[in-house]
Amino acid sequence: MSTEASVGHIEPRTSEKLKESRWSFANMHGSALAWVILGLSALITIAAWHISNESVEQVSKSRFTFKTQDIRTAIGKRMQEQEAALWGGVGLFNSSENVTREEWAEYAAALQLEKYLPGLQGYGYAESVRPANRDRHVNRIRSEGFPDFDIRPEGKREIYSSIIYLEPFRDRNLRAFGYDMFSEPTRREAMERARDTGEAAVSGMVTLVQETESDIQRGFLMYLPVYKKGLPINTVEERRAALRGFVYSPFRIKDLTRGILGKGDTEIDFRIYDGAIKSPERLMYDSAKADASFIVTDESLFSTTASLRNGGHPWTLEFNTRPGFVSTADKQQPMYIAIGGILIDILLFLTISSLSHQRRRALAIAERMTGELRMAKDTAEEAARNEVILRTSTQEANAKLKVANEGLLKFTSIVAHDLRSPLKRIESFVGILRDDYQSSFDNEGKDILMRIERGSSRMRLMLDSLHNYAKYSDVSIKGKNATVKNIVENAIETLGEEIADARIQIVIDEECKVRGDPILLEHVVQNLIGNSIKFRGKARSEISIATRTMENDMIEMSVSDNGIGIEPKHADKVFGMFSRLHNEDEFEGTGIGLAVCKNIVIDHGGDIWVDTSCTKGTRIVMTLQLATGEVMKKSESLAA
């Protein structure tokens, strides 16, 4: 009896200590954890905003590069087409003893220059005239129905060139009839270059004789030499002696550019400078000035300069973005991500706080029930002399204790369930953004949102697979197999823009399957390709992915590149955790990528190493088990 009384006095003090420890943990869980999660989620939101902002800038820069290359290519292609048309005129003279004015006009009409070469000012022929033959040449042209014809400008010169054919032979082109292009230094330099090389030659910037008092444009000309039939033209001296004339075309730069590009790109402003140096006096064309609806400003998000060589003569192209190059939706995308992240952060904070409140309520219930139990025990002690009453009180107390335990178990289940709710709410919030706000995006924005969802889903799947892999080891790959082709293609698709400029060669068996988790193996291939891009040299990245079948139901898979390479002495070091061969200022990275790859490959029953015999770039080789029936059956039996 005295022993029971002693125990009854000790038990309340122990319960009080338990209460204090529980409330201490509850307070820590409710306040510190909620604020820690809020801080971490805020950091993730900031990182997502930063990544989105950089992504928008990178996509815009890539689009700018594509547009500038497209304009440069279009101009270069057009000049090649014009040269081909001039060669046709040379062929006409080479196939005939004498090309008449009517034949030239018919030939030019058959070319349909206005349809296939829009913006061309003319298609002509200038005859080379020696001083001794000048009068005979003038009289011959006058006899063709042009009594006022003469070689212009007047004066005695060592040699003349006379424009006698120029289609269409009307309007502005009539002003060039009889003009001696050899008399003007810029034209003469190009004509002499064409004569001496036998190739097409483009002149520097000139003002064409076709220009009138209005709408004056800068111009240039392209020449091809026509030599007398039967004479040798192997040396410069022979070509000069055999010169008969020039097939040529004059160009007004604004008309030509409009013929090549139409109305042009409303997002890009470009200028064409004559020569290799940009200077105001060498400016041939400015798209901003040609577009009356465009207001010139100093604002330009991206700018670049490119060179273009036509007919042995250099041009310099300058490109600048116009205001509005980046759409409003693209500009607002980082803001949407930031707002969404903030809302999710607040939602997580409120959820954790709510869970803490529920925990405190459960502990309060437990404390109250513990107090009731203590009162029941006190009642049982006072009625100790009545055994029946004592047993009844004890049974009631035990029943209440059972209810309390069931309440605690139920609370634990609620907590476990509610801890999964934030993840579901995050996915629901992303769904709300897609369902309720997708209409505010344009097509490009919708495409970006779709890619974000697809990328997030793939990242979540990859993280889950890595987590399962770390938790269950071989159990996670039991009975699984993957097609090597799908692994490689998914890894390349995930990398996306990172490998846009790389040249990738894939030599694998399309039907080849290996034993293992496709997501984990895709992570290995993606890491190896990403390293090839990251540690590339100055040249364009060239990556080769190949497989070959080995003995014992194994395959060897290699990823080779032309990058900076790995010295043989570091071949084993690169697979160590947090091992780096370069400073962070040179190449970014954490030093754990290859270590994770090695663990994944080894747990898949293979091995991975650096091929030290590779002298150019880096070649990393790994072995994997083929997913044959015997291998799968054996692996499953071992796992069992």
Side-chain angles (χ1 to χ4, degrees):
M1 189 68 181
S2 60
T3 301
E4 293 176 357
S6 176
V7 172
H9 285 89
I10 293 175
E11 200 168 19
R13 290 197 294 270
T14 304
S15 176
E16 192 68 27
K17 292 180 180 180
L18 288 174
K19 182 184 77 170
E20 293 176 0
S21 65
R22 288 172 180 174
W23 276 106
S24 176
F25 176 77
N27 291 335
M28 183 280 292
H29 182 273
S31 59
L33 182 59
W35 286 104
V36 167
I37 291 178
L38 180 62
L40 291 176
S41 59
L43 291 176
I44 294 174
T45 299
I46 294 173
W49 172 84
H50 180 69
I51 293 172
S52 176
N53 195 47
E54 287 189 345
S55 176
V56 170
E57 182 177 355
Q58 185 62 37
V59 170
S60 300
K61 187 175 183 180
S62 299
R63 187 162 60 91
F64 172 72
T65 300
F66 174 80
K67 285 178 175 288
T68 56
Q69 290 177 349
D70 190 43
I71 293 174
R72 182 180 182 276
T73 301
I75 295 175
K77 181 181 178 182
R78 174 57 190 279
M79 297 310 295
Q80 292 177 352
E81 294 171 348
Q82 180 59 40
E83 181 180 340
L86 292 183
W87 277 115
V90 174
L92 178 64
F93 274 95
N94 290 338
S95 62
S96 176
E97 291 296 333
N98 181 34
V99 177
T100 65
R101 187 176 306 277
E102 291 74 16
E103 290 174 339
W104 182 259
E106 290 177 1
Y107 179 73
L111 292 177
Q112 300 186 60
L113 299 175
E114 294 182 357
K115 177 179 179 180
Y116 296 106
L117 298 175
L120 178 68
Q121 180 59 37
Y123 187 77
Y125 171 71
E127 187 174 307
S128 180
V129 181
R130 299 288 180 180
N133 299 328
R134 185 182 185 283
D135 292 341
R136 185 189 309 167
H137 170 80
V138 172
N139 292 332
R140 176 169 61 85
I141 301 303
R142 288 178 177 178
S143 66
E144 294 177 0
F146 304 99
D148 297 329
F149 174 83
D150 202 351
I151 297 178
R152 297 177 291 105
E154 298 180 354
K156 294 183 178 180
R157 293 181 286 276
E158 295 181 358
I159 192 171
Y160 302 90
S161 71
S162 174
I163 299 176
I164 60 173
Y165 301 154
L166 184 57
E167 296 297 328
F169 194 56
R170 64 177 184 272
D171 303 328
R172 293 176 180 267
N173 285 344
L174 296 178
R175 298 168 61 90
F177 188 42
Y179 179 66
D180 179 9
M181 294 183 287
F182 228 66
S183 65
E184 195 276 318
T186 302
R187 293 175 174 84
R188 179 167 183 157
E189 183 277 331
M191 297 171 77
E192 288 179 338
R193 181 155 35 92
R195 175 197 64 191
D196 294 344
T197 62
E199 299 177 353
V202 170
S203 74
M205 181 175 62
V206 298
T207 299
L208 300 177
V209 295
Q210 286 94 328
E211 293 296 340
T212 61
E213 298 298 327
S214 61
D215 190 25
I216 299 177
Q217 301 180 24
R218 301 292 178 91
F220 67 95
L221 304 100
M222 178 183 286
Y223 298 95
L224 273 176
V226 178
Y227 300 108
K228 297 176 183 177
K229 296 174 61 175
L231 295 181
I233 53 173
N234 298 318
T235 64
V236 173
E237 289 75 14
E238 290 176 347
R239 287 192 283 270
R240 291 178 178 178
L243 182 65
R244 180 178 178 182
F246 297 90
V247 174
Y248 83 103
S249 282
F251 300 90
R252 302 177 78 219
I253 189 64
K254 187 186 299 184
D255 294 344
L256 175 65
T257 306
R258 188 180 298 113
I260 297 174
L261 304 175
K263 294 183 179 180
D265 195 312
T266 59
E267 298 180 320
I268 299 292
D269 172 34
F270 74 97
R271 299 178 180 88
I272 301 176
Y273 293 90
D274 181 36
I277 300 176
K278 296 188 299 182
S279 61
E281 61 272 11
R282 303 307 299 169
L283 179 62
M284 294 177 63
Y285 177 77
D286 188 342
S287 64
K289 294 180 180 179
D291 185 357
S293 64
F294 175 61
I295 301 176
V296 180
T297 65
D298 295 332
E299 179 184 355
S300 180
L301 183 61
F302 301 113
S303 62
T304 187
T305 301
S307 60
L308 182 64
R309 198 170 187 86
N310 297 314
H313 187 76
W315 284 355
T316 300
L317 307 181
E318 180 185 17
F319 300 92
N320 295 282
T321 57
R322 294 184 176 183
F325 180 77
V326 180
S327 66
T328 302
D330 288 340
K331 289 181 179 178
Q332 293 178 347
Q333 176 184 318
M335 180 185 68
Y336 291 149
I337 291 177
I339 294 174
I342 292 173
L343 293 176
I344 293 175
D345 298 342
I346 295 174
L347 182 63
L348 283 174
F349 179 76
L350 294 177
T351 301
I352 298 299
S353 299
S354 175
L355 291 174
S356 174
H357 178 68
Q358 293 179 18
R359 177 181 176 84
R360 288 195 295 269
R361 289 185 59 189
L363 289 175
I365 294 173
E367 181 185 0
R368 185 174 67 253
M369 296 184 71
T370 302
E372 293 176 357
L373 176 61
R374 189 163 55 246
M375 292 176 62
K377 287 185 177 181
D378 291 340
T379 303
E381 183 179 355
E382 292 175 358
R385 288 173 297 181
N386 192 335
E387 183 177 357
V388 176
I389 298 175
L390 177 62
R391 290 179 180 178
T392 303
S393 300
T394 302
Q395 290 176 356
E396 292 177 354
N398 288 337
K400 292 181 179 180
L401 180 61
K402 181 178 179 181
V403 172
N405 289 334
E406 290 176 353
L408 289 175
L409 289 175
K410 184 177 181 180
F411 166 75
T412 302
S413 176
I414 292 173
V415 170
H417 176 269
D418 288 348
L419 285 177
R420 301 174 68 93
S421 297
L423 293 177
K424 294 181 180 179
R425 292 185 182 183
I426 291 173
E427 294 177 350
S428 298
F429 185 76
V430 173
I432 290 172
L433 288 179
R434 182 185 65 248
D435 297 337
D436 296 346
Y437 297 96
Q438 188 176 19
S439 60
S440 63
F441 291 94
D442 55 16
N443 290 336
E444 186 175 1
K446 294 177 181 177
D447 181 65
I448 292 175
L449 179 61
M450 182 185 69
R451 294 187 181 185
I452 291 175
E453 290 183 312
R454 185 170 59 189
S456 300
S457 177
R458 179 174 293 278
M459 181 60 69
R460 176 164 54 80
L461 181 60
M462 182 176 291
L463 290 175
D464 289 344
S465 297
L466 290 174
H467 175 73
N468 291 335
Y469 159 72
K471 185 174 181 181
Y472 302 112
S473 187
D474 284 341
V475 177
S476 64
I477 64 173
K478 177 183 177 181
K480 293 184 178 181
N481 63 75
T483 303
V484 177
K485 178 184 178 183
N486 293 340
I487 293 173
V488 174
E489 289 179 348
N490 289 338
I492 293 175
E493 181 182 0
T494 301
L495 289 169
E497 291 293 331
E498 295 180 24
I499 59 173
D501 296 331
R503 182 183 292 112
I504 301 179
Q505 181 182 14
I506 302 175
V507 184
I508 58 177
D509 182 2
E510 294 187 356
E511 302 299 325
C512 180
K513 292 185 178 180
V514 294
R515 173 180 171 264
D517 187 295
I519 301 299
L520 294 177
L521 296 178
E522 178 187 334
H523 175 78
V524 174
V525 177
Q526 179 182 340
N527 189 283
L528 297 181
I529 298 176
N531 283 348
S532 296
I533 298 298
K534 182 189 302 180
F535 299 102
R536 65 180 182 273
K538 296 181 179 179
R540 178 182 179 186
S541 293
E542 296 182 358
I543 303 173
S544 176
I545 305 173
T547 60
R548 70 179 183 91
T549 304
M550 304 172 60
E551 297 178 353
N552 301 324
D553 292 322
M554 301 287 289
I555 69 162
E556 181 185 90
M557 184 175 182
S558 63
V559 178
S560 307
D561 61 53
N562 62 339
I564 62 175
I566 299 175
E567 295 182 7
K569 63 181 180 180
H570 299 312
D572 294 328
K573 179 181 177 182
V574 297
F575 293 101
M577 187 65 73
F578 302 110
S579 176
R580 291 178 56 86
L581 303 182
H582 306 278
N583 295 328
E584 292 184 356
D585 293 337
E586 297 176 315
F587 298 97
E588 296 180 355
T590 62
I592 65 175
L594 288 179
V596 173
C597 291
K598 187 175 183 69
N599 288 337
I600 292 175
V601 173
I602 289 177
D603 285 346
H604 277 69
D607 197 5
I608 185 170
W609 67 91
V610 176
D611 184 2
T612 56
S613 65
C614 180
T615 59
K616 181 180 179 182
T618 302
R619 183 173 184 265
I620 295 183
V621 185
M622 61 179 171
T623 57
L624 296 169
Q625 294 181 348
L626 285 170
T628 61
E630 295 182 0
V631 170
M632 296 295 291
K633 183 177 180 181
K634 181 179 179 181
S635 64
E636 292 178 4
S637 62
L638 291 175

